[in-house]
Amino acid sequence: QNYLDNFWPDLKAAHELFDSIVQARRERESESQENHGKEYPEHLSVEVLEAGIKSGRYLQGTLNVNKHRAQLEAFVRLQGLGSKDTG
């Protein structure tokens, strides 16, 4: 803000962009506080997930993502199954 005020006081578009960024950041921080510091809200509670795993409705596993091709390659290794059982 100081930089824009001191060096570009007449550049209205830059000031509007800065204000927009500040507002978006405030909204994101507010949402983060509402979610108790978690970046994403939980879809199911921990209790529901634990009960689903125990009953066999849900499976627990580890997500493995290729760091070089993260958008294209990933697989889940299910816990308690052999190394060949991945999907």
Side-chain angles (χ1 to χ4, degrees):
Q1 180 69 46
N2 291 335
Y3 174 80
L4 291 174
D5 290 341
N6 292 328
F7 295 102
W8 302 99
D10 299 328
L11 191 57
K12 185 177 178 182
H15 286 274
E16 290 174 357
L17 177 61
F18 178 79
D19 292 340
S20 174
I21 292 170
V22 169
Q23 179 63 29
R25 186 173 181 189
R26 285 184 187 144
E27 289 175 8
R28 188 171 194 181
E29 288 172 355
S30 174
E31 289 173 2
S32 178
Q33 289 175 354
E34 290 173 4
N35 293 327
H36 307 290
K38 296 177 182 173
E39 188 170 352
Y40 300 102
E42 294 178 350
H43 295 282
L44 297 173
S45 67
V46 174
E47 294 80 19
V48 171
L49 289 174
E50 287 175 346
I53 291 169
K54 189 173 182 179
S55 70
R57 181 174 183 181
Y58 301 125
L59 300 175
Q60 185 173 2
T62 304
L63 175 65
N64 295 288
V65 180
N66 182 330
K67 67 180 178 180
H68 302 289
R69 298 174 47 127
Q71 294 182 355
L72 301 175
E73 293 182 14
F75 66 94
V76 175
R77 186 175 309 274
L78 299 176
Q79 291 183 1
L81 299 175
S83 60
K84 293 181 181 179
D85 295 329
T86 58

